[in-house]
Amino acid sequence: MVTIFAEENLKLLEGLPLCCPQCKGSILQKKERFLCNVCKRQFPVIAGIPDFRIFGDPYLNFEDDYKRAQLIAENAPKFNFQELLKFYWSHSPETPPPLREKFVRTALLAEAKAEGILKELALFSEDLIKIDQNVLEIGCGTGGFLVSAVKTYSHVIGIDIALRWLIVARKRLEESGKKVPLICCCAEYLPFPDGFFNLVVTAATLEHTRDQSRVISESYRVLQDRGILFLSTPNRYSLTVEPHVYLWGVGFLPRSWMHRYVYLLKGVNYKNYRLLSYFELKKLLNPVFSKVKFSLPDVDNTMLINFSRWKRFQVSVYRKLRKVSLFRAFFLLCGPMYHIIGQKTS
Ligand SMILES: [Zn+2]
């Protein structure tokens, strides 16, 4: 599985101040593994990607993730990025075929979506106009944000809990001629020292994590003073469909009923999704970040291509009303999605 790109990732990691994700002690890099000098925990390197996970992702165990990653890595040279995405989903029996097609389309739109986020961030903070910023994306998935971010910032790092997704992301980066170091780790246990990043971005990831409060406190820890966390996440009480399973009304059920309802109607395991409401998000963020700003994101124009006429009409109404203060309060409670910016100030 070791390829030229594996060597390249290891080279990109040299000079990064990594630490033990568990005890934050110093780590020693050997070619095939990392070793913590303090707690003595060892972390393997697979296909040039260090595996700093404390626990695996909710969908595949370590062994199955390695197998899937290996399959993707072996086939990656045969395909372009789009074909590799389709290949990936065709080998994902746990996902129903209609959802796979939607996921491919969403992944292909990720770069355009990222451009919008980067513009929003530049408007929020003058610091983020400078190129010399350390940027971390938590849950980089297929790497769409990384490809866009590395055009703006000189130091970008991508992490994900699924090794298989990092192999897919590497294909996207390779195709666009961009170099970004990739690390496999948990959002709850980041292998970076305190205060290293100017910007941490986590888009559509928080709702999949095991310990949401720990994700927020770890993001805060790795940020510099004045550093910014950008978070995008769907609203639990959205009046539109649940965006992962395309089903109405999931969020309004008691949490213990959600999985049974989704499984019955869509045949999808919903146990590992935890969407938060406006008040739940405030409760999570306000004790950590001194400055928290919620905004209602615009729907990206590129997304409209996938929408029916009825849905496009709904978007045009949402676009007009979200700027009116009365409706803004309404959409904060039951709009589809949030963009949240938290700033660290000591
Ligand atoms: Zn350690």
Side-chain angles (χ1 to χ4, degrees), residues 113 204 207 232-235 238 243 295-297 318 331 335-339:
K113 226 174 170 179
E207 63 274 19
S232 84
T233 190
N235 177 9
S238 166
S295 62
L296 297 163
Y318 170 73
F331 284 127
M337 184 93 192
Y338 300 115
H339 278 184

Side-chain angles (χ1 to χ4, degrees), residues 13 32 43 159 170 176 200 250 252 268 307:
L13 291 165
E32 299 300 318
F43 304 94
I159 64 164
R170 185 151 73 191
S176 56
V200 171
V250 184
F252 293 94
V268 177
F307 289 175

Side-chain angles (χ1 to χ4, degrees), residues 124-317:
F124 180 83
S125 163
E126 279 184 12
D127 294 350
L128 295 179
I129 296 168
K130 300 174 203 149
I131 60 157
D132 191 26
Q133 303 280 297
N134 290 330
V135 177
L136 172 69
E137 190 190 11
I138 298 177
C140 64
T142 64
F145 179 83
L146 300 179
V147 167
S148 295
V150 79
K151 290 179 200 161
T152 310
Y153 301 115
S154 46
H155 308 291
V156 179
I157 301 175
I159 64 164
D160 205 285
I161 195 170
L163 185 73
R164 57 195 183 281
W165 280 119
L166 293 170
I167 307 287
V168 177
R170 185 151 73 191
K171 181 75 189 185
R172 183 179 226 152
L173 286 161
E174 190 191 308
E175 217 165 73
S176 56
K178 306 286 179 215
K179 291 186 169 125
V180 173
L182 301 173
I183 294 171
C184 191
C185 66
C186 304
E188 294 88 341
Y189 293 90
L190 299 176
F192 308 104
D194 299 3
F196 180 67
F197 293 100
N198 304 89
L199 171 66
V200 171
V201 170
T202 181
T205 298
L206 186 73
E207 63 274 19
H208 301 281
T209 55
R210 188 186 280 198
D211 184 342
Q212 293 171 325
S213 135
R214 223 194 130 94
V215 175
I216 300 302
S217 60
E218 272 291 86
S219 301
Y220 183 86
R221 182 186 66 77
V222 300
L223 279 171
Q224 290 179 12
D225 190 31
R226 291 175 57 83
I228 281 167
L229 168 70
F230 174 88
L231 176 68
S232 84
T233 190
N235 177 9
R236 173 182 175 180
Y237 294 130
S238 166
L239 293 178
T240 58
V241 292
E242 202 290 346
H244 305 95
V245 291
Y246 297 88
L247 194 60
W248 290 85
V250 184
F252 293 94
L253 295 171
R255 289 204 185 270
S256 56
W257 295 9
M258 290 178 186
H259 167 70
R260 264 178 289 172
Y261 171 68
V262 172
Y263 195 79
L264 190 74
L265 292 170
K266 291 277 174 167
V268 177
N269 179 354
Y270 198 72
K271 284 179 186 158
N272 303 310
Y273 295 81
R274 192 182 153 83
L275 274 61
L276 300 178
S277 67
Y278 174 67
F279 291 109
E280 285 168 329
L281 283 160
K282 275 184 88 117
K283 207 173 142 194
L284 189 71
L285 286 150
N286 284 353
V288 184
F289 285 88
S290 47
K291 203 168 159 190
V292 178
K293 180 183 161 252
F294 278 71
S295 62
L296 297 163
D298 192 7
V299 180
D300 201 281
N301 277 329
T302 52
M303 302 284 282
L304 296 179
I305 310 159
N306 284 324
F307 289 175
S308 62
R309 271 178 80 171
W310 168 237
K311 216 170 168 195
R312 282 205 293 266
F313 170 73
Q314 288 175 307
V315 170
S316 69
V317 173

